[in-house]
Amino acid sequence: MAKRGGYPGGMMPGNMNNLMKQAQKMQKQVEETQAALEEKEYEAAAGGGVVKVTINGKKEVTKVSISPEVVDPEDIETLEEVVMAAVNEAIRMQTEDEKEQMGKITGGLGGFGF
């Protein structure tokens, strides 16, 4: 006998509405969290604190502080390496914070662009 009525996949309209509401709520939370993350600043130091770099939540460098004692015209390579290390650490900090904050919303689900 042929099956009558019902919805494909066994989903009821109410379930679909609830799912859509949950998705919209999650999207709003993601947008709010992204906006809050963009406002944050992350500071990292390298070389025992002689170089400090600050970035914002958009991963843009907003400040670089270099102690005068590390500026050696004969050894620019070391200064470059210390600056690079501080920038990379600040980016790592921001990325880790972003993953943590978004994970709270998505519950570790993938596929949301994070």
Side-chain angles (χ1 to χ4, degrees):
M1 182 167 232
K3 188 174 180 182
R4 300 181 82 198
Y7 292 91
M11 294 203 63
M12 300 295 289
N15 290 343
M16 186 58 84
N17 286 338
N18 286 339
L19 185 60
M20 290 301 294
K21 286 178 184 178
Q22 288 174 346
Q24 289 171 345
K25 181 180 176 185
M26 184 183 288
Q27 179 63 32
K28 183 178 179 187
Q29 288 176 321
V30 166
E31 290 170 1
E32 290 170 353
T33 301
Q34 284 176 327
L37 285 168
E38 287 179 3
E39 298 297 318
K40 292 177 82 172
E41 288 191 332
Y42 304 85
E43 181 181 276
V50 295
V51 172
K52 294 179 183 173
V53 173
T54 303
I55 67 168
N56 63 22
K58 297 177 187 178
K59 296 183 178 138
E60 299 168 333
V61 176
T62 58
K63 184 178 178 183
V64 176
S65 173
I66 301 172
S67 296
E69 65 266 15
V70 301
V71 180
D72 179 0
E74 303 290 322
D75 188 15
I76 295 299
E77 292 82 18
T78 298
L79 180 57
E80 291 170 341
E81 289 174 8
V82 174
V83 169
M84 186 172 50
V87 170
N88 287 336
E89 177 60 15
I91 291 170
R92 187 202 62 73
M93 291 168 63
Q94 188 280 337
T95 301
E96 194 63 34
D97 188 32
E98 183 176 47
K99 282 182 185 178
E100 181 181 326
Q101 297 304 315
M102 291 301 174
K104 290 178 183 176
I105 296 169
T106 65
L109 296 174
F112 287 96
F114 312 116

